[in-house]
Amino acid sequence: MSETLNHKLVLRIPFETNKQSEIACNSLNPDPILKSRELDVEFEIDKNTLVCKFSGTSDRVIRVAISNVIDNIKTIIECMDEFDEKKEVIFT
Amino acid sequence: MTVDLDQYAKPGKSYYLALGLEGSANKIGVGVIKHNLGQLSSTNSAEVLSNVRDTYVTPPGEGFLPRDTARHHRNWVVRIIKDALKVAKVSGSDLDCICFTQGPGMGAPLQSVVIAARTLSQLWDLPLVGVNHCIGHIEMGREITGAQNPVVLYVSGGNTQVIAYSRQRYRIFGETLDIAIGNCLDRFARTLKIPNIPFPGYNIEQMAKKGKHLVPLPYTVKGMDLSMSGILAHIDQLAKQMFSGKKPPVDEETGEPITAEDLCFSLQETLYSMLVEITERAMAHVQSNQVLIVGGVGSNLRLQEMMQLMVQDRKGGSIHATDERFCIDNGIMIAHAGLLSYRTGQTNELWNTVCTQRYRTDEVFVKWRDD
């Protein structure tokens, strides 16, 4: 089946720390890929870089998947900006 | 015997705090709740430290679509979490767990919120607790109103169920066979192109007060269940005739023209009568004399009034309802139900935090009750 997933693209997103890239990977990983016959997405970490590997049956499905992953990563990064290292902080 | 709720308390701490994140429909809500050690009771009740919400409002005539709603939630989720913590004046280190809605609801909005929950849980090393949205409504309603073991009427934009507790499950006695009651009202509001602010059902309720003529509509109780799509199709048709001016509907007795207000009035009366009927039957079946109304449509005063009329004819009957802070989707109910679950040792590992659109109320094992 993977033969037909011949459109491929890799996103490499650097984070500030190894821990952050790991957290991002763990947050993205649980959700199953819908339409797994048309699309596969794998998340890996390479030190402080999150590596997202997309393979799909067309550039269209990859474009939709990337857009979705980037939206999720935006939430993750915003969360990190606001809350990382701030467990003891009472916000005012 | 009662369930021991303090096996998992942090040593030396006399209370629990939970953060709750809700985003299953067009509202994003975050709340912080506090439970003191021991059983919850009228003298040891849960304390709401914050309850922040933002609603995605669409223009008149339009409903909310999953993708746009998810985008709204993504834009707001981090800010609202921060606001809720700010209002509650608590830090991450004081929290026991992070609770999130795992379903039922719209897939994309649910997913956009759980991403934030997973990230925060790892950043602050706090356990996650997945919560069934309906259980959130039920437990928050019980806590706020003090109703011990009521028949629950859960009426909202996505759900219509009559529920009663039995042996550690909230069991569904009757439910809609097609669309939810709130969905029926919302869609009729769209047909009439009335505003979605503050929410469509509220505006229908206000218009209904001015209605004079009861237009006959199908009355579709099917055993313990309801069907509402046919009623919607019927009343939509009447509204179209009214707007087009071709064969405008008239009242059968007086011959006066039917107005939009009359239609709102008739729709409410018909739908709520059906709800009252199946609720009464459920009460008779489980021999309960309490009714608890939860969910967004539960904030409708006419529904509360009609239910009241039914309940007061039953011996020792009482009706319990909450106001819009707790009726309409909110984060605090997720925090509350999640914390009950946490106190009985139920938490979710990351791999087990996938949200589902379908998640029935009776799938949840109610470990925190044993009556």
Side-chain angles (χ1 to χ4, degrees):
Chain A
M1 206 180 305
S2 61
E3 301 83 56
T4 59
L5 303 180
N6 49 8
H7 291 69
K8 295 191 189 296
L9 192 134
V10 178
L11 281 185
R12 298 178 63 86
I13 298 155
F15 283 80
E16 284 174 357
T17 62
N18 293 6
K19 189 187 163 210
Q20 285 190 350
S21 60
E22 192 187 328
I23 289 177
C25 185
N26 290 340
S27 293
L28 293 167
N29 244 332
D31 291 322
I33 305 296
L34 304 171
K35 298 184 187 164
S36 56
R37 292 165 69 167
E38 287 176 26
L39 175 74
D40 184 49
V41 186
E42 280 174 38
F43 301 106
E44 289 167 13
I45 37 177
D46 175 12
K47 298 200 183 76
N48 69 333
T49 303
L50 172 71
V51 184
C52 315
K53 294 179 175 168
F54 298 87
S55 35
T57 49
S58 69
D59 44 8
R60 188 187 60 84
V61 292
I62 290 192
R63 201 164 58 226
V64 172
I66 288 177
S67 154
N68 189 31
V69 166
I70 289 178
D71 282 341
N72 285 332
I73 291 174
K74 273 157 70 181
T75 303
I76 293 169
I77 291 175
E78 199 187 343
C79 242
M80 289 172 175
D81 282 345
E82 295 292 337
F83 302 122
D84 198 10
E85 304 290 332
K86 291 182 185 161
K87 191 177 178 184
E88 313 299 327
V89 175
I90 295 179
F91 296 100
T92 48
Chain B
M1 209 195 84
T2 45
V3 180
D4 181 2
L5 290 175
D6 293 326
Q7 289 178 62
Y8 301 90
K10 281 186 191 166
K13 211 173 144 191
S14 63
Y15 59 88
Y16 305 81
L17 289 178
L19 181 75
L21 280 68
E22 152 64 26
S24 62
N26 67 338
K27 284 125 199 136
I28 167 110
V30 181
V32 179
I33 202 149
K34 181 178 178 180
H35 289 182
N36 291 312
L37 290 180
Q39 295 296 319
L40 289 167
S41 67
S42 55
T43 51
N44 185 28
S45 53
E47 196 184 328
V48 176
L49 299 188
S50 64
N51 188 11
V52 186
R53 173 167 62 204
D54 192 84
T55 306
Y56 171 53
V57 183
T58 47
E62 287 178 30
F64 52 94
L65 299 169
R67 229 169 61 109
D68 303 332
T69 312
R71 185 168 55 216
H72 167 268
H73 290 4
R74 281 198 200 96
N75 280 338
W76 283 96
V77 63
V78 173
R79 273 180 278 178
I80 291 195
I81 294 173
K82 213 173 161 186
D83 273 355
L85 292 168
K86 209 185 282 180
V87 174
K89 298 190 182 67
V90 299
S91 70
S93 55
D94 216 10
L95 295 173
D96 289 276
C97 58
I98 298 174
C99 314
F100 65 98
T101 310
Q102 198 159 14
M106 293 167 102
L110 282 168
Q111 198 267 345
S112 67
V113 175
V114 76
I115 286 282
R118 285 179 196 145
T119 308
L120 190 59
S121 136
Q122 294 177 81
L123 287 171
W124 287 356
D125 195 21
L126 291 167
L128 285 168
V129 183
V131 176
N132 178 302
H133 182 86
C134 315
I135 300 289
H137 275 294
I138 296 170
E139 289 302 342
M140 200 65 211
R142 286 179 64 224
E143 178 61 28
I144 294 290
T145 63
Q148 283 300 310
N149 190 22
V151 166
V152 183
L153 178 65
Y154 172 29
V155 276
S156 70
N159 294 278
T160 306
Q161 298 179 342
V162 179
I163 301 157
Y165 172 86
S166 166
R167 291 188 299 155
Q168 297 194 298
R169 301 264 172 201
Y170 286 107
R171 294 172 201 270
I172 302 170
F173 271 69
E175 64 191 315
T176 178
L177 299 171
D178 39 57
I179 59 174
I181 180 151
N183 191 236
C184 183
L185 293 168
D186 288 354
R187 283 161 70 173
F188 185 58
R190 260 178 258 161
T191 304
L192 294 182
K193 293 216 166 41
I194 60 181
N196 290 325
I197 304 170
F199 52 95
Y202 178 82
N203 295 325
I204 288 188
E205 185 181 2
Q206 301 318 309
M207 284 175 75
K209 286 178 185 168
K210 298 185 199 117
K212 289 190 208 77
H213 306 298
L214 184 70
V215 182
L217 293 172
Y219 184 91
T220 41
V221 171
K222 319 259 178 182
M224 284 299 290
D225 297 326
L226 309 169
S227 161
M228 286 172 282
S229 60
I231 299 177
L232 178 64
H234 187 97
I235 198 163
D236 269 351
Q237 186 61 37
L238 288 173
K240 283 200 186 84
Q241 286 174 14
M242 187 184 75
F243 284 130
S244 70
K246 285 176 203 158
K247 280 207 299 175
V250 292
D251 182 55
E252 284 171 6
E253 281 175 25
T254 62
E256 288 172 351
I258 296 297
T259 63
E261 283 78 9
D262 291 334
L263 292 179
C264 290
F265 168 69
S266 309
L267 182 62
Q268 283 206 143
E269 295 301 303
T270 307
L271 291 177
Y272 298 165
S273 305
M274 288 163 42
L275 288 178
V276 169
E277 182 188 332
I278 60 167
T279 307
E280 182 169 26
R281 214 175 298 133
M283 288 172 82
H285 196 85
V286 301
Q287 292 171 351
S288 167
N289 51 18
Q290 292 178 319
V291 179
L292 172 64
I293 308 181
V294 299
V297 183
S299 64
N300 187 296
L301 297 178
R302 179 60 184 149
L303 173 61
Q304 293 183 11
E305 184 187 8
M306 288 172 71
M307 201 60 75
Q308 174 73 44
L309 287 169
M310 178 272 283
V311 165
Q312 72 192 22
D313 283 343
R314 299 183 65 86
K315 199 177 169 193
S318 61
I319 170 172
H320 303 268
T322 57
D323 61 39
E324 57 85 28
R325 285 172 303 166
F326 304 111
C327 246
I328 295 176
D329 290 351
N330 59 80
I332 201 75
M333 68 182 198
I334 301 303
H336 178 64
L339 186 51
L340 284 169
S341 198
Y342 173 80
R343 291 178 69 179
T344 57
Q346 297 174 315
T347 58
N348 295 49
E349 298 295 326
L350 275 174
W351 62 267
N352 196 17
T353 55
V354 179
C355 296
T356 55
Q357 305 206 50
R358 302 195 186 280
Y359 184 5
R360 281 176 69 80
T361 315
D362 49 15
E363 285 175 45
V364 177
F365 179 58
V366 184
K367 208 176 168 187
W368 53 91
R369 284 182 73 170
D370 67 351
D371 48 332

PDB file of all heavy atoms in Angstrom, chain B residues 311-329:
ATOM      1  N   VAL B 311     -43.792  18.365  37.668  1.00  0.00           N
ATOM      2  CA  VAL B 311     -43.176  17.836  38.876  1.00  0.00           C
ATOM      3  C   VAL B 311     -44.021  18.137  40.118  1.00  0.00           C
ATOM      4  O   VAL B 311     -44.123  17.313  41.018  1.00  0.00           O
ATOM      5  CB  VAL B 311     -41.740  18.398  39.025  1.00  0.00           C
ATOM      6  CG1 VAL B 311     -41.198  18.167  40.418  1.00  0.00           C
ATOM      7  CG2 VAL B 311     -40.826  17.772  37.994  1.00  0.00           C
ATOM      8  N   GLN B 312     -44.650  19.313  40.147  1.00  0.00           N
ATOM      9  CA  GLN B 312     -45.388  19.662  41.369  1.00  0.00           C
ATOM     10  C   GLN B 312     -46.645  18.817  41.540  1.00  0.00           C
ATOM     11  O   GLN B 312     -47.211  18.756  42.616  1.00  0.00           O
ATOM     12  CB  GLN B 312     -45.693  21.160  41.426  1.00  0.00           C
ATOM     13  CG  GLN B 312     -46.750  21.638  40.464  1.00  0.00           C
ATOM     14  CD  GLN B 312     -46.768  23.149  40.382  1.00  0.00           C
ATOM     15  OE1 GLN B 312     -45.781  23.823  40.700  1.00  0.00           O
ATOM     16  NE2 GLN B 312     -47.884  23.716  39.944  1.00  0.00           N
ATOM     17  N   ASP B 313     -47.076  18.157  40.464  1.00  0.00           N
ATOM     18  CA  ASP B 313     -48.208  17.238  40.586  1.00  0.00           C
ATOM     19  C   ASP B 313     -47.783  15.873  41.115  1.00  0.00           C
ATOM     20  O   ASP B 313     -48.615  15.018  41.387  1.00  0.00           O
ATOM     21  CB  ASP B 313     -48.889  17.050  39.221  1.00  0.00           C
ATOM     22  CG  ASP B 313     -49.750  18.249  38.874  1.00  0.00           C
ATOM     23  OD1 ASP B 313     -50.056  19.019  39.794  1.00  0.00           O
ATOM     24  OD2 ASP B 313     -50.085  18.410  37.690  1.00  0.00           O
ATOM     25  N   ARG B 314     -46.499  15.668  41.225  1.00  0.00           N
ATOM     26  CA  ARG B 314     -46.013  14.389  41.751  1.00  0.00           C
ATOM     27  C   ARG B 314     -45.638  14.583  43.216  1.00  0.00           C
ATOM     28  O   ARG B 314     -45.104  15.608  43.607  1.00  0.00           O
ATOM     29  CB  ARG B 314     -44.800  13.897  40.953  1.00  0.00           C
ATOM     30  CG  ARG B 314     -45.130  13.669  39.489  1.00  0.00           C
ATOM     31  CD  ARG B 314     -43.940  13.128  38.743  1.00  0.00           C
ATOM     32  NE  ARG B 314     -43.585  11.803  39.232  1.00  0.00           N
ATOM     33  CZ  ARG B 314     -44.136  10.678  38.784  1.00  0.00           C
ATOM     34  NH1 ARG B 314     -45.043  10.731  37.842  1.00  0.00           N
ATOM     35  NH2 ARG B 314     -43.767   9.513  39.271  1.00  0.00           N
ATOM     36  N   LYS B 315     -45.864  13.559  44.005  1.00  0.00           N
ATOM     37  CA  LYS B 315     -45.686  13.677  45.448  1.00  0.00           C
ATOM     38  C   LYS B 315     -44.219  13.972  45.808  1.00  0.00           C
ATOM     39  O   LYS B 315     -43.326  13.224  45.428  1.00  0.00           O
ATOM     40  CB  LYS B 315     -46.119  12.365  46.104  1.00  0.00           C
ATOM     41  CG  LYS B 315     -46.405  12.488  47.577  1.00  0.00           C
ATOM     42  CD  LYS B 315     -46.896  11.161  48.120  1.00  0.00           C
ATOM     43  CE  LYS B 315     -46.928  11.183  49.627  1.00  0.00           C
ATOM     44  NZ  LYS B 315     -47.092   9.854  50.180  1.00  0.00           N
ATOM     45  N   GLY B 316     -44.019  15.060  46.524  1.00  0.00           N
ATOM     46  CA  GLY B 316     -42.665  15.411  46.974  1.00  0.00           C
ATOM     47  C   GLY B 316     -41.714  15.742  45.842  1.00  0.00           C
ATOM     48  O   GLY B 316     -40.496  15.683  46.011  1.00  0.00           O
ATOM     49  N   GLY B 317     -42.270  16.082  44.695  1.00  0.00           N
ATOM     50  CA  GLY B 317     -41.429  16.316  43.527  1.00  0.00           C
ATOM     51  C   GLY B 317     -40.635  17.617  43.617  1.00  0.00           C
ATOM     52  O   GLY B 317     -41.093  18.597  44.186  1.00  0.00           O
ATOM     53  N   SER B 318     -39.424  17.613  43.078  1.00  0.00           N
ATOM     54  CA  SER B 318     -38.650  18.853  43.024  1.00  0.00           C
ATOM     55  C   SER B 318     -37.898  18.917  41.713  1.00  0.00           C
ATOM     56  O   SER B 318     -37.512  17.907  41.132  1.00  0.00           O
ATOM     57  CB  SER B 318     -37.684  18.925  44.204  1.00  0.00           C
ATOM     58  OG  SER B 318     -36.782  17.835  44.158  1.00  0.00           O
ATOM     59  N   ILE B 319     -37.704  20.144  41.253  1.00  0.00           N
ATOM     60  CA  ILE B 319     -36.989  20.351  39.999  1.00  0.00           C
ATOM     61  C   ILE B 319     -35.738  21.147  40.283  1.00  0.00           C
ATOM     62  O   ILE B 319     -35.738  22.066  41.098  1.00  0.00           O
ATOM     63  CB  ILE B 319     -37.890  21.037  38.954  1.00  0.00           C
ATOM     64  CG1 ILE B 319     -37.057  21.468  37.745  1.00  0.00           C
ATOM     65  CG2 ILE B 319     -38.633  22.221  39.516  1.00  0.00           C
ATOM     66  CD1 ILE B 319     -37.884  21.964  36.594  1.00  0.00           C
ATOM     67  N   HIS B 320     -34.647  20.751  39.631  1.00  0.00           N
ATOM     68  CA  HIS B 320     -33.369  21.415  39.853  1.00  0.00           C
ATOM     69  C   HIS B 320     -32.806  21.859  38.511  1.00  0.00           C
ATOM     70  O   HIS B 320     -32.730  21.070  37.584  1.00  0.00           O
ATOM     71  CB  HIS B 320     -32.386  20.459  40.527  1.00  0.00           C
ATOM     72  CG  HIS B 320     -32.903  19.922  41.825  1.00  0.00           C
ATOM     73  ND1 HIS B 320     -32.640  20.524  43.022  1.00  0.00           N
ATOM     74  CD2 HIS B 320     -33.690  18.865  42.093  1.00  0.00           C
ATOM     75  CE1 HIS B 320     -33.239  19.850  43.992  1.00  0.00           C
ATOM     76  NE2 HIS B 320     -33.887  18.834  43.462  1.00  0.00           N
ATOM     77  N   ALA B 321     -32.438  23.123  38.450  1.00  0.00           N
ATOM     78  CA  ALA B 321     -31.818  23.618  37.227  1.00  0.00           C
ATOM     79  C   ALA B 321     -30.744  24.615  37.619  1.00  0.00           C
ATOM     80  O   ALA B 321     -30.751  25.146  38.730  1.00  0.00           O
ATOM     81  CB  ALA B 321     -32.863  24.280  36.340  1.00  0.00           C
ATOM     82  N   THR B 322     -29.805  24.844  36.726  1.00  0.00           N
ATOM     83  CA  THR B 322     -28.737  25.800  37.020  1.00  0.00           C
ATOM     84  C   THR B 322     -28.864  26.972  36.051  1.00  0.00           C
ATOM     85  O   THR B 322     -29.617  26.902  35.095  1.00  0.00           O
ATOM     86  CB  THR B 322     -27.357  25.142  36.855  1.00  0.00           C
ATOM     87  OG1 THR B 322     -27.260  24.636  35.526  1.00  0.00           O
ATOM     88  CG2 THR B 322     -27.169  24.012  37.846  1.00  0.00           C
ATOM     89  N   ASP B 323     -28.124  28.023  36.306  1.00  0.00           N
ATOM     90  CA  ASP B 323     -28.189  29.160  35.386  1.00  0.00           C
ATOM     91  C   ASP B 323     -27.149  28.977  34.275  1.00  0.00           C
ATOM     92  O   ASP B 323     -26.446  27.980  34.214  1.00  0.00           O
ATOM     93  CB  ASP B 323     -28.008  30.479  36.137  1.00  0.00           C
ATOM     94  CG  ASP B 323     -26.663  30.565  36.823  1.00  0.00           C
ATOM     95  OD1 ASP B 323     -25.664  30.117  36.241  1.00  0.00           O
ATOM     96  OD2 ASP B 323     -26.610  31.066  37.969  1.00  0.00           O
ATOM     97  N   GLU B 324     -27.067  29.993  33.405  1.00  0.00           N
ATOM     98  CA  GLU B 324     -26.248  29.817  32.206  1.00  0.00           C
ATOM     99  C   GLU B 324     -24.754  29.583  32.484  1.00  0.00           C
ATOM    100  O   GLU B 324     -24.064  29.008  31.666  1.00  0.00           O
ATOM    101  CB  GLU B 324     -26.466  30.990  31.231  1.00  0.00           C
ATOM    102  CG  GLU B 324     -26.188  32.378  31.785  1.00  0.00           C
ATOM    103  CD  GLU B 324     -24.721  32.758  31.699  1.00  0.00           C
ATOM    104  OE1 GLU B 324     -24.035  32.256  30.787  1.00  0.00           O
ATOM    105  OE2 GLU B 324     -24.254  33.531  32.557  1.00  0.00           O
ATOM    106  N   ARG B 325     -24.268  29.984  33.668  1.00  0.00           N
ATOM    107  CA  ARG B 325     -22.844  29.750  33.958  1.00  0.00           C
ATOM    108  C   ARG B 325     -22.500  28.264  33.941  1.00  0.00           C
ATOM    109  O   ARG B 325     -21.402  27.867  33.555  1.00  0.00           O
ATOM    110  CB  ARG B 325     -22.483  30.289  35.351  1.00  0.00           C
ATOM    111  CG  ARG B 325     -22.365  31.780  35.449  1.00  0.00           C
ATOM    112  CD  ARG B 325     -22.211  32.180  36.900  1.00  0.00           C
ATOM    113  NE  ARG B 325     -23.334  31.685  37.697  1.00  0.00           N
ATOM    114  CZ  ARG B 325     -23.345  31.640  39.028  1.00  0.00           C
ATOM    115  NH1 ARG B 325     -22.296  32.038  39.717  1.00  0.00           N
ATOM    116  NH2 ARG B 325     -24.399  31.190  39.678  1.00  0.00           N
ATOM    117  N   PHE B 326     -23.461  27.445  34.409  1.00  0.00           N
ATOM    118  CA  PHE B 326     -23.180  26.019  34.516  1.00  0.00           C
ATOM    119  C   PHE B 326     -23.976  25.175  33.518  1.00  0.00           C
ATOM    120  O   PHE B 326     -23.615  24.052  33.229  1.00  0.00           O
ATOM    121  CB  PHE B 326     -23.467  25.545  35.943  1.00  0.00           C
ATOM    122  CG  PHE B 326     -22.701  26.329  36.964  1.00  0.00           C
ATOM    123  CD1 PHE B 326     -23.339  27.196  37.827  1.00  0.00           C
ATOM    124  CD2 PHE B 326     -21.317  26.223  37.035  1.00  0.00           C
ATOM    125  CE1 PHE B 326     -22.620  27.933  38.751  1.00  0.00           C
ATOM    126  CE2 PHE B 326     -20.592  26.962  37.955  1.00  0.00           C
ATOM    127  CZ  PHE B 326     -21.246  27.823  38.823  1.00  0.00           C
ATOM    128  N   CYS B 327     -25.115  25.735  33.034  1.00  0.00           N
ATOM    129  CA  CYS B 327     -25.934  25.016  32.053  1.00  0.00           C
ATOM    130  C   CYS B 327     -25.212  24.929  30.727  1.00  0.00           C
ATOM    131  O   CYS B 327     -25.039  23.866  30.157  1.00  0.00           O
ATOM    132  CB  CYS B 327     -27.206  25.824  31.804  1.00  0.00           C
ATOM    133  SG  CYS B 327     -28.680  25.013  32.360  1.00  0.00           S
ATOM    134  N   ILE B 328     -24.826  26.095  30.243  1.00  0.00           N
ATOM    135  CA  ILE B 328     -24.163  26.168  28.952  1.00  0.00           C
ATOM    136  C   ILE B 328     -22.746  25.635  29.129  1.00  0.00           C
ATOM    137  O   ILE B 328     -22.144  25.788  30.193  1.00  0.00           O
ATOM    138  CB  ILE B 328     -24.198  27.634  28.458  1.00  0.00           C
ATOM    139  CG1 ILE B 328     -25.660  28.032  28.214  1.00  0.00           C
ATOM    140  CG2 ILE B 328     -23.362  27.817  27.214  1.00  0.00           C
ATOM    141  CD1 ILE B 328     -25.865  29.456  27.832  1.00  0.00           C
ATOM    142  N   ASP B 329     -22.232  24.982  28.065  1.00  0.00           N
ATOM    143  CA  ASP B 329     -20.918  24.340  28.136  1.00  0.00           C
ATOM    144  C   ASP B 329     -19.889  25.230  28.819  1.00  0.00           C
ATOM    145  O   ASP B 329     -19.796  26.426  28.527  1.00  0.00           O
ATOM    146  CB  ASP B 329     -20.414  24.033  26.717  1.00  0.00           C
ATOM    147  CG  ASP B 329     -21.232  22.929  26.075  1.00  0.00           C
ATOM    148  OD1 ASP B 329     -22.053  22.314  26.775  1.00  0.00           O
ATOM    149  OD2 ASP B 329     -21.027  22.694  24.877  1.00  0.00           O
TER     150      ASP B 329
END
